[in-house]
Amino acid sequence: MTHPSIPSLRYTVAPWQKKMVSMSALSSGRSRSKRTCRGSSPPQASSSGGESKGSGRIRQVNEEELEVEIVNREKPLIIDFFATWCGPCVMLQKELEQVAETLGDSVQILKIDCDENEGISSALQIQGLPTLIFVGMDADKPALRTEGLLPAQSIIDIIQNEM
């Protein structure tokens, strides 16, 4: 299964290790249901204790809603593929809240639970969590994919410099 709404992907495990991968290459491999958490050096811990929703700027969607959001996007998208049992995914939530606070309405942040949406997770071969996919406004420009925990400033830099 392919995902025609997401432009071809630039895939990166770390921001400094970039290579191009087409969407068909991502979906042609054997699908695996086993996913692992991939963390990098943890960003500075936030002192806030509770889990905030970033003033409503971060929204959890299912596979069908994601399709609609991608097709009808009016601003760059950050799509966070996560699992509730993944420690780095929980830490990334705080980083995404900082991104939402900093960039405001210039970007849309969506979250999709890989365990509840296995179809798209398998199609995109989401194996390391968290995985972020950055989809810009230019359909000719490939989407950017990262695996692992990124600090808020790195996410902001990707949006400002790559999208």
Side-chain angles (χ1 to χ4, degrees), residues 82-145:
F82 75 100
T84 56
W85 48 263
C86 171
C89 297
V90 173
M91 292 172 64
L92 182 63
Q93 173 66 28
K94 293 180 194 243
E95 299 304 309
L96 290 174
E97 290 169 7
Q98 287 181 343
V99 170
E101 194 67 31
T102 301
L103 296 179
D105 292 331
S106 66
V107 67
Q108 185 174 6
I109 303 173
L110 303 173
K111 296 177 69 68
I112 187 158
D113 188 330
C114 290
D115 292 331
E116 294 177 4
N117 298 278
E118 289 190 15
I120 192 163
S121 299
S122 293
L124 295 175
Q125 293 188 341
I126 305 295
Q127 297 170 7
L129 297 176
T131 292
L132 294 178
I133 295 181
F134 299 85
V135 182
M137 294 306 299
D138 186 355
D140 295 330
K141 193 171 184 178
L144 178 68
R145 173 179 170 148

Side-chain angles (χ1 to χ4, degrees), residues 5-10 69-79 106-108 133-145 158-159 162-163:
S5 300
I6 297 179
S8 62
L9 294 175
R10 266 192 322 190
E69 292 292 338
I70 292 170
V71 171
N72 297 326
R73 70 187 180 276
E74 296 177 355
K75 50 189 148 190
L77 295 177
I78 301 172
I79 307 166
S106 66
V107 67
Q108 185 174 6
I133 295 181
F134 299 85
V135 182
M137 294 306 299
D138 186 355
D140 295 330
K141 193 171 184 178
L144 178 68
R145 173 179 170 148
I158 289 170
I159 289 293
E162 303 282 342
M163 297 287 108

Side-chain angles (χ1 to χ4, degrees), residues 20-33:
M20 299 292 289
V21 176
S22 70
M23 196 63 189
S24 60
L26 282 176
S27 60
S28 65
R30 207 174 51 192
S31 73
R32 298 181 193 168
S33 60

